[in-house]
């Protein structure tokens, strides 16, 4: 009997925390998102020295309150899911833990509370909260296009890195130590700054030959920026025309899997029955 | 009888102000565009201190003349259209009001006349003046492609912002306060400057580790610039092949609606008869 | 009889100067191209003060020699073509004149000889010299794609310019005169530097609000760089699949027209017989 | 008999050095890649003055050890292949030689050991080591797309260079020597920095007219960055849909050719039998 109450309570907690299509579940998610945003804002403001000097104690107090709330949430997540181990070692489970750890560690190691900015990763939960089929479909298409272009992009970056080493070395030999090209690693840093068209100007060639070489590097960079763009565009164009019925849905209560066909009755990963109606 | 004269006058004003295919209407629009351009130029020059010192009184006088002309135009627009409320709260109605307000407000609040630059938005009327079917079709296609890629772009920017917070925090921890990374918000500003390949160089990493991290961020930025480009390109390519018969035309005299098929006899929004010949 | 010698000489000059498929014509073109390149190099070096101080008289002498050669060439071009007026007012005819004028003007107006860099435009003749069907076809396809995307690009730039005025004004109001945003025109210059991701850093926001606004502008610029790319890519992709048989060929001896089908016997512009074999 | 032992030894060496699908061959390649990376790292660190002062003798000793290992490898490569001349004058053969030469030359010419960074080019061997059909197919597709867009890109860069000369000259005339535009070559350098959206800011226009011109250049650069992107994207999209069965495989033992159909029994280049099973 108590067991039944316990089960029913656990079930209720599960619905509120993990599901997004009940009123309570949606409200919980919105509050959670607001807390995450507020918490990230607090950590950021703590590093602004003028602001921190004035409000340090308030900031710390608020951060502790949020940390404790997140700790309770983390405990309830483990408590309410059927297979807690799966959650703990899942992507979101690890992030949820990393979001509370730095504050506790900061009790022993001063300054580590800055690491709570890792909470920003929890903002990825937004996609579960929205649970907008339109958004999810687009999101999955984008993901697929990027995965499909991964191999080409890796090859491209490998070539770019080799070029970067060679160009950096040549610029080091041409410019010498006077113009800021103090070593090959620094020259490679300059090459990346130039090839990617970022161009800080903290290091820039001073000799005519160096400027000529730099011009070649820029035109090269201008040309090769076309390559990743071309790769990704071609993939997105291809995936745009494909239909895609897989959308994010309520996670499987057993294993947390979220990718299954809309009308599935059993989870394709673990076979658990889905209350997907 | 007077009523008839009044109606005929109102009709004439309507044709001149709102329509673009009569000689008078076209001339009115061109003069209006010239005045808007001249007015924007005046406000801009007022902020150039050398120029303003010399010609301040002339600038102010000319701005007032244009403001009064725009006020008369605004009154006539309200007077001549059948449903003035619709115009007043339409996009262009609000801009037309905002274009004259700051000068009047500047009588009480010194300095607000700078806000008259908002008149620049009135330049969007150019598209009505051109009323070139070729231009309008292209314009609508472009709009449709951008709207179609909106969802993907929003997802992309959301991911970029989360990355920005994390990268900014890491760079703050690596570089410390000496190199200009004085707080996490400033570090996030630097990250955006770098990821978007703008690269001012007002803040740039000084430590070897910071430069290594910055290189990674640049290569990342180089890669992800491909994503919005790919999204938009794929959509434009798709819409390029579609035919599109809807073009901007004379606005409906009743509700101001401008999007209806070329051979429509009645406005599809309010059902009013169109003199669309 | 002399008339016949005259005609035959004129014909020979015509073949050497205007045609590219005889040995003499090709040699003439290559020497011409070399002279143009050398001449542009001379003008450039004249502005390098260290170099100019040492070799000023040599530079001027060489420039005069090339100018006289170009003048003779210009005279022969007029002499040998059937309708000299057409050549004189054609694109290349005007450039050929502008390439020699500055040196003569510099006799009366000191310093105008720098304008001879306009000779760089004569380098466009390379395409006639190559007369490579592969190159020409690609060139025409590229031209067609760019012309087809012209309307969309113009609309896009118009929107960008209006945004630029508004953003520039907002940044002027936020940053004030201390950070380099001394006037609205300067702010607009900064906005263009930022939106196009050039980012010199000669002017950069100093206030937190200004840096926040600048971040938005950068993300906007990052997004809208996708638009022209998308437009051009879609057009190039479309034209890539089209076949195109029109290639640059020997110009019509009568009107100089170069665009006609490969097997044409008469110029489609003026009807003159073509020795197109 | 000894000949047979010699042949069998030579064969074994061949398999280890040139082939990648035996365990020994794969291990050899991995160790080689590690040594190359380590060697490049050593040369880079030698230029970091703080590091070099401390560990100079260690760095030089390690570089010599690697150089001797590479020399042995180079000798074995020549020894084990059937037609050594082909290998010596092949792309990889030349790189392998250039990777060891600078250290020996540095015995006579101080400082040339920096040139050993050319070893970075040996990293291209990674593709042979991976020998992943997925990677190779992608790699070949990318190569084909880039080759197909070569002509258009060359035309584009030629136009950009002519524009660069003209814009550079105009900016030199407008800005004069005060703002850093000290000569036309320097102005051209600035133009390339701006057109490619790199924007160091080491040279930036100071006069209103110069800033106006610079704005035009930036918008132009913003527009034309679309052209190479468009060209490459269109080609990649086209090649994406093509099937491609040619993949890199074990090199022909006779001529080293690596591009032949998967099921070929004889090398299509030299006709030698392939043990391609």
């Amino acid at each position: 009997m108590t067991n039944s109450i316990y089960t029913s309570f656990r079930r209720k907690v599960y619905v509120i925390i993990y599901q997004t299509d009940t009123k309570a579940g949606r409200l919980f998610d919105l509050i959670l998102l607001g807390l995450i945003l507020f918490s990230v804002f607090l950590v950021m403001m703590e590093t602004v020295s003028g602001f921190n000097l004035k409000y340090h104690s308030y900031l710390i107090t608020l951060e502790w309150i949020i940390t404790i709330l997140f700790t309770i949430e983390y405990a309830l997540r483990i408590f309410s899911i059927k297979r807690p181990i799966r959650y703990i070692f899942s992507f979101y489970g690890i992030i949820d833990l990393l979001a509370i750890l730095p504050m506790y560690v900061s009790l022993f190691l001063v300054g580590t509370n800055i690491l709570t900015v890792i909470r920003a990763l929890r903002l990825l939960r937004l996609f579960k909260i929205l649970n907008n089929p339109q958004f999810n479909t687009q999101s999955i298409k984008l993901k697929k296009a990027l995965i499909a272009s991964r191999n080409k992009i890796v090859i491209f970056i490998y070539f770019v890195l080799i070029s970067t080493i060679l160009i950096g070395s040549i610029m080091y030999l041409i410019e010498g130590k006077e113009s800021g090209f103090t070593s090959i690693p620094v020259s490679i840093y300059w090459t990346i700054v130039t090839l990617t068209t970022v161009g800080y100007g903290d290091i820039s060639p001073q000799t005519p030959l160096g400027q000529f070489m730099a011009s070649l590097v820029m035109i090269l960079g201008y040309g090769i920026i076309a390559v990743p763009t071309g790769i990704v565009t071609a993939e997105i164009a291809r995936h745009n025309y494909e239909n895609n019925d897989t959308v994010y849905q309520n996670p499987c209560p057993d294993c947390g899997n979220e990718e299954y066909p809309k009308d599935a009755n059993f989870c394709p990963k673990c076979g658990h029955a889905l209350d997907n109606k």
Side-chain angles (χ1 to χ4, degrees), chain A:
Chain A
M1 201 69 186
T2 28
N3 195 20
S4 161
I5 292 170
Y6 168 82
T7 311
S8 133
F9 172 69
R10 216 180 135 191
R11 173 80 196 151
K12 251 181 202 159
V13 169
Y14 175 81
V15 168
I16 292 173
I17 291 187
Y18 282 97
Q19 291 197 345
T20 56
D21 45 10
T22 64
K23 219 175 169 180
R26 191 166 280 268
L27 189 70
F28 172 83
D29 285 332
L30 283 176
I31 292 170
L32 182 63
L33 211 70
L35 276 180
I36 297 168
L37 270 175
F38 184 60
S39 160
V40 168
F41 175 77
L42 287 177
V43 185
M44 273 161 59
M45 291 320 283
E46 210 194 313
T47 66
V48 181
S49 46
F51 191 87
N52 191 31
L53 278 172
K54 260 192 180 160
Y55 304 106
H56 185 69
S57 53
Y58 297 97
L59 285 170
I60 292 296
T61 313
L62 282 166
E63 274 177 39
W64 269 113
I65 292 171
I66 293 172
T67 304
I68 289 161
L69 287 174
F70 282 1
T71 311
I72 294 169
E73 181 219 343
Y74 184 64
L76 287 176
R77 277 186 190 274
I78 292 173
F79 160 73
S80 68
I81 208 163
K82 268 196 188 152
R83 301 201 187 171
I85 299 297
R86 286 218 183 167
Y87 162 71
I88 289 169
F89 292 102
S90 73
F91 175 69
Y92 284 111
I94 291 166
I95 287 170
D96 291 352
L97 182 62
L98 287 175
I100 50 176
L101 266 190
M103 280 305 279
Y104 294 113
V105 173
S106 74
L107 290 175
F108 311 101
L109 273 157
V110 177
T112 52
N113 59 328
I114 293 300
L115 297 171
T116 46
V117 285
I118 209 159
R119 284 176 187 171
L121 275 176
R122 295 200 75 191
L123 292 171
L124 292 173
R125 281 191 182 276
L126 180 70
F127 291 103
K128 298 204 180 172
I129 299 170
L130 288 176
N131 201 22
N132 178 326
Q134 180 62 14
F135 259 96
N136 292 338
T137 312
Q138 296 295 328
S139 189
I140 289 171
K141 271 189 190 172
L142 204 54
K143 216 167 94 185
K144 280 195 179 171
L146 293 179
I147 288 169
S149 38
R150 199 181 40 188
N151 277 353
K152 282 211 196 80
I153 295 276
V154 167
I155 294 170
F156 171 72
I157 286 179
Y158 189 74
F159 273 111
V160 168
L161 287 182
I162 295 176
S163 317
T164 289
I165 294 172
L166 294 172
I167 295 169
S169 307
I170 294 168
M171 286 304 290
Y172 169 75
L173 292 172
I174 291 175
E175 281 288 318
K177 311 223 165 189
E178 286 75 28
S179 340
F181 293 78
T182 50
S183 68
I184 290 182
V186 167
S187 280
I188 290 172
Y189 164 71
W190 171 88
T191 310
I192 292 173
V193 168
T194 302
L195 259 187
T196 57
T197 79
V198 170
Y200 286 132
D202 51 349
I203 307 164
S204 67
Q206 305 297 330
T207 64
L209 187 57
Q211 294 184 337
F212 178 72
M213 275 299 300
S215 300
L216 292 186
V217 173
M218 284 172 227
I219 289 171
L220 181 69
Y222 203 52
I224 67 178
I225 205 171
V227 178
T229 308
I231 293 167
V232 174
T233 304
E235 286 301 335
I236 290 177
R238 184 197 293 193
H239 287 267
N240 247 357
Y241 294 104
E242 284 173 13
N243 280 315
N244 197 320
D245 278 335
T246 313
V247 288
Y248 277 109
Q249 286 156 78
N250 272 334
C252 163
D254 192 48
C255 70
N257 171 34
E258 285 168 319
E259 277 190 64
Y260 47 82
K262 260 192 171 165
D263 49 1
N265 292 319
F266 297 93
C267 172
K269 266 202 182 159
C270 68
H272 194 277
L274 298 165
D275 48 352
N276 191 23
K277 257 316 274 295

